[in-house]
Amino acid sequence: MPYSHVFQEIPLHRPNTPLLDKIDSPAQLRLLTEDQLPQLAYELRAFLLYSVGQSGGHFGAGLGVVELTIALHYVFNTPEDRLVWDVGHQAYPHKILTGRREQMPQIRHQDGPAAFPRRAESIYDTFGVGHSSTSISAALGMALAARLQGNLRKSVAIIGDGALTAGMAFEALSHAGDVRPDLLVILNDNDMSISNNVGGLKNHLARILSGKTYNSVRDSGKSFLSNAPHLRELVRKTEEHVKGMVSPGTLFEELGFNYIGPIDGHDIGTLVETLENMQSLTGPQFLHVVTKKGKGFAPAERDPIGYHAINKIEPKPAQTPAPKAALPKFSNVFGQWLCDMAAVDDKVVGITPAMKEGSDLIAFARQFPDRYFDVAIAEQHAVTLAAGMACEGAKPVVAIYSTFLQRAYDQLIHDVAVQDLDVLFAIDRAGLVGEDGPTHAGSYDLSFLRCIPKMLIMAPSDENELRQMLYTGYQFNGPAAVRYPRGTGIGASIQQEMSLLPIGKANVVRKGQKVAILAFGTLLHAARHATEELNATLVDMRFVKPLDEELIAQLARSHELLVTIEENAIAGGAGSGVNEFLQAAGLDIPVLNLGLPDIYVEHGKHQDLLKECGLDSHSILDAILQRLQQNTAALRLATSP
């Protein structure tokens, strides 16, 4: 079978990989001859397809960097030389080649490898990632530290064309051009943007520009020009224009980098030769590599967005059950609401930082293209863009994941909240997100939003409440946020008519005695079991800010224990807000705060993680019973003679 074979299906059984099986470290990889590398690339791609089929996970990006990953570990002396992968979606081949091959079918599962590079997992994972556009800054820091230590190790940042749109990446490029360390930045342009210019001429040019002959002549010319300053600018401009005619690297040259490329990222011979040449160059180097996302798997090549990640391939049952009607995801409810709102109000604009599919803005983008703004991976810009629009009478809705809103916290406060602007934040992926782990969990949004003055913060318990809260937040005069989880709800009936919720008013779901459970968000349903077992009061709090202080005071006076429940960090979260109110009001009642513990919750299935955090239905009941026993024991101790 030729090594350029394109797979049509994901292998259901472990493929035969005799060459790959011998490699448990890059040192063993470097023992291969260059002629063996195409076979290794074929086997690595086959194994990657198989293992992701067993585990689910990020898919297309890894397929696209198989040859690049092999070439990097073949040329550079890893782990002494530092490879920093941006985001980490493409790091599965790296993990396979660095001693984790047989664990890969368990990636993203509890106790299996993490979805992204992690320093604690392997010495080859030089920097923990998950959010985009951090690699150049991190690799620059490593290069500068090496220079201070007198160490000659190399630092390499591998960044995608999408991640390069973020301002942080350009801040790092600008700084590198100023301090001029021995740093290699590799742009993995996977044909989703930037450039399609690949071919023999480009590859030949890269060999010339990275070769010793060209660079020795270039250095000699610099030495000559130091004694002829009147010619320096002329020669510099001439070189720049010659390179600019055949490469798109003028921008990077202006930032102080020596630009090489673009080259074919699937031509392993060209990759190895170019990297070997560049290894001896000093100062900031920039290599532009063009790859194809999903390379080698036909469906992913045709649909790179749809195959960004896949679910685990489950075995087919003997009898196919009748398909169940699919419940809408919370993101689907948001996407439909935004379309409905835009149809009746031409002030609506939708803004997202590269989360069109994830936030379900597909229909909105199609129906209202002039009011849809995808700013790419630029969360800070997204928020300030919304602020600027709001200043001019538009009604911006920012669709953003909780974990990514962290990156725009200053803009949220300084540009939106301080100016009291009408911006609605639709915060998706709030709470735990399962297999993607702590870098993607929305564990802190209630804590970091709650301290902002005048901020309206809501947490729906079901799909219909989400729709009505979005409408309420949209009509609110000032900054508002609705945070909702990943995945589907309970299948609540969604009222098409949009109605305003009374601001700061909770909903008493069930009246009981002794214990009152105050639930913020979808954990309301996990609390029902405890409510029924204890004959407790159950409240859908709905509003995190402002709290329903009147109801909380009433419950504090008529119950023996208040329990707050949220899928957010306990520290500073909604329960903390209840505690603060009770203390300020002089209401002395025991309070049990249930939420995410003060740890980074690792990857795994969402329900398993909730149980681990004590937030499944049985754990909630057990925690309340234990607290009631403690309260009884404390009361006996206090009243004993």
Side-chain angles (χ1 to χ4, degrees):
M1 182 178 293
Y3 298 135
S4 60
H5 173 74
V6 175
F7 292 85
Q8 300 296 324
E9 296 181 341
I10 295 175
L12 298 181
H13 302 285
R14 194 191 192 288
N16 184 31
T17 56
L19 203 56
L20 179 64
D21 293 347
K22 298 176 182 178
I23 296 172
D24 294 313
S25 72
Q28 293 169 317
L29 164 63
R30 291 189 281 271
L31 296 176
L32 301 180
T33 66
E34 195 171 325
D35 291 341
Q36 291 176 292
L37 298 184
Q39 178 185 344
L40 178 63
Y42 166 78
E43 293 183 12
L44 178 54
R45 187 167 275 116
F47 183 83
L48 177 62
L49 285 167
Y50 161 74
S51 66
V52 178
Q54 297 296 302
S55 65
H58 297 107
F59 191 69
L63 289 170
V65 297
V66 165
E67 290 82 6
L68 177 60
T69 306
I70 291 172
L72 284 167
H73 282 294
Y74 190 73
V75 171
F76 289 95
N77 183 31
T78 55
E80 174 64 17
D81 291 333
R82 313 303 202 218
L83 302 183
V84 182
W85 299 91
D86 208 282
V87 187
H89 293 153
Q90 76 280 48
Y92 287 20
H94 160 80
K95 293 197 176 209
I96 293 170
L97 292 174
T98 53
R100 288 164 280 183
R101 180 183 63 248
E102 299 308 319
Q103 289 76 47
M104 290 303 289
Q106 293 301 311
I107 195 170
R108 302 169 79 242
H109 296 189
Q110 275 187 301
D111 302 322
F116 305 96
R118 291 189 63 186
R119 282 170 55 83
E121 188 176 292
S122 170
I123 58 173
Y124 295 95
D125 292 358
T126 61
F127 196 75
V129 295
H131 292 187
S132 84
S133 315
T134 63
S135 62
I136 303 176
S137 296
L140 173 57
M142 294 173 184
L144 291 174
R147 187 164 74 184
L148 289 170
Q149 297 160 5
N151 194 307
L152 297 179
R153 65 174 175 263
K154 302 294 184 179
S155 295
V156 183
I158 306 98
I159 186 168
D161 53 319
L164 197 64
T165 62
M168 182 178 178
F170 279 92
E171 292 170 10
L173 288 170
S174 177
H175 186 212
D178 180 51
V179 296
R180 304 197 59 76
D182 290 341
L183 170 69
L184 172 58
V185 174
I186 298 177
L187 171 59
N188 173 33
D189 177 0
N190 60 20
D191 210 23
M192 304 294 283
S193 63
I194 297 186
S195 173
N196 293 315
N197 297 320
V198 180
L201 176 61
K202 292 295 183 185
N203 291 341
H204 180 64
L205 174 69
R207 290 191 180 99
I208 294 173
L209 295 180
S210 66
K212 291 181 179 179
T213 303
Y214 171 82
N215 282 279
S216 63
V217 171
R218 187 177 187 234
D219 292 341
S220 298
K222 286 181 178 179
S223 176
F224 167 75
L225 290 173
S226 65
N227 299 314
H230 59 288
L231 296 176
R232 186 182 303 130
E233 184 63 16
L234 174 63
V235 173
R236 188 187 70 81
K237 286 291 186 183
T238 301
E239 181 188 33
E240 176 184 299
H241 290 152
V242 169
K243 292 176 77 172
M245 284 189 294
V246 287
S247 79
T250 304
L251 169 63
F252 304 109
E253 293 274 356
E254 291 294 332
L255 287 170
F257 281 76
N258 177 42
Y259 173 90
I260 306 295
I263 66 173
D264 184 350
H266 302 298
D267 183 339
I268 202 161
T270 294
L271 284 169
V272 168
E273 183 177 352
T274 303
L275 289 171
E276 286 177 341
N277 287 338
M278 297 188 78
Q279 195 179 27
S280 62
L281 302 181
T282 59
Q285 307 295 321
F286 193 100
L287 175 61
H288 184 171
V289 175
V290 178
T291 62
K292 189 171 187 64
K293 195 171 185 180
K295 175 70 174 178
F297 181 59
E301 290 186 7
R302 292 191 296 267
D303 182 14
I305 294 176
Y307 279 89
H308 171 70
I310 63 170
N311 294 323
K312 175 181 178 180
I313 299 176
E314 301 289 351
K316 293 181 180 180
Q319 291 184 333
T320 304
K324 296 181 180 179
L327 295 176
K329 298 178 180 178
F330 281 97
S331 57
N332 302 147
V333 176
F334 162 73
Q336 184 60 57
W337 170 82
L338 189 61
C339 290
D340 295 344
M341 198 71 237
V344 298
D345 188 346
D346 59 10
K347 294 181 181 179
V348 174
V349 294
I351 301 171
T352 182
M355 289 290 113
K356 176 183 178 181
E357 288 77 20
S359 295
D360 198 16
L361 288 168
I362 300 170
F364 180 83
R366 183 175 62 250
Q367 296 175 32
F368 305 97
D370 294 339
R371 291 191 267 163
Y372 168 71
F373 300 92
D374 185 341
V375 303
I377 302 173
E379 295 88 356
Q380 295 173 316
H381 169 58
V383 173
T384 303
L385 175 70
M389 288 183 165
C391 287
E392 301 303 323
K395 295 281 286 186
V397 179
V398 179
I400 191 167
Y401 289 8
S402 172
T403 186
F404 299 142
L405 183 57
Q406 296 165 187
R407 312 187 88 189
Y409 190 50
D410 179 63
Q411 289 69 27
L412 172 62
I413 295 174
H414 183 273
D415 298 337
V416 175
V418 170
Q419 302 187 91
D420 200 27
L421 294 174
D422 285 340
V423 178
L424 173 61
F425 294 89
I427 305 175
D428 199 346
R429 269 60 166 183
L432 300 176
V433 292
E435 289 84 355
D436 282 345
T439 60
H440 282 56
S443 304
Y444 314 112
D445 54 78
L446 294 185
S447 301
F448 68 68
L449 290 173
R450 202 174 61 78
C451 61
I452 301 175
K454 297 185 178 180
M455 190 89 191
L456 177 66
I457 310 169
M458 295 170 279
S461 63
D462 61 34
E463 304 92 319
N464 180 59
E465 210 164 61
L466 170 60
R467 181 176 173 85
Q468 309 312 325
M469 284 182 178
L470 288 165
Y471 180 72
T472 302
Y474 181 81
Q475 300 296 346
F476 180 72
N477 184 24
V482 183
R483 59 106 66 174
Y484 48 94
R486 182 183 190 177
T488 60
I490 60 170
S493 176
I494 300 175
Q495 300 171 6
Q496 294 306 304
E497 182 180 355
M498 292 179 275
S499 57
L500 287 171
L501 300 177
I503 300 296
K505 291 299 178 183
N507 176 42
V508 178
V509 177
R510 182 186 190 278
K511 291 184 178 180
Q513 298 176 338
K514 293 187 178 181
V515 176
I517 301 175
L518 284 56
F520 295 88
T522 53
L523 287 180
L524 173 84
H525 308 290
R528 288 183 183 274
H529 174 61
T531 303
E532 294 164 0
E533 289 291 319
L534 299 169
N535 187 27
T537 296
L538 180 61
V539 181
D540 178 4
M541 290 301 294
R542 304 199 294 193
F543 291 86
V544 177
K545 188 172 185 177
L547 288 168
D548 192 339
E549 295 179 351
E550 181 180 353
L551 177 61
I552 294 172
Q554 177 187 329
L555 295 172
R557 295 186 181 102
S558 58
H559 291 71
E560 298 176 6
L561 174 67
L562 297 186
V563 181
T564 67
I565 301 178
E566 61 192 299
E567 198 170 336
N568 184 85
I570 294 174
S576 292
V578 173
N579 299 346
E580 292 160 13
F581 164 70
L582 291 170
Q583 192 276 333
L587 294 168
D588 186 12
I589 179 175
V591 181
L592 172 62
N593 298 131
L594 298 179
L596 300 181
D598 194 26
I599 60 171
Y600 295 109
V601 180
E602 297 299 337
H603 52 281
K605 292 186 179 299
H606 183 244
Q607 280 303 122
D608 293 340
L609 298 181
L610 286 179
K611 183 176 182 180
E612 181 182 309
C613 295
L615 294 175
D616 66 309
S617 59
H618 293 290
S619 298
I620 290 170
L621 175 60
D622 290 344
I624 296 173
L625 289 172
Q626 183 178 357
R627 184 55 183 270
L628 288 172
Q629 291 174 356
Q630 292 172 349
N631 290 351
T632 300
L635 181 61
R636 286 176 183 161
L637 184 63
T639 57
S640 62

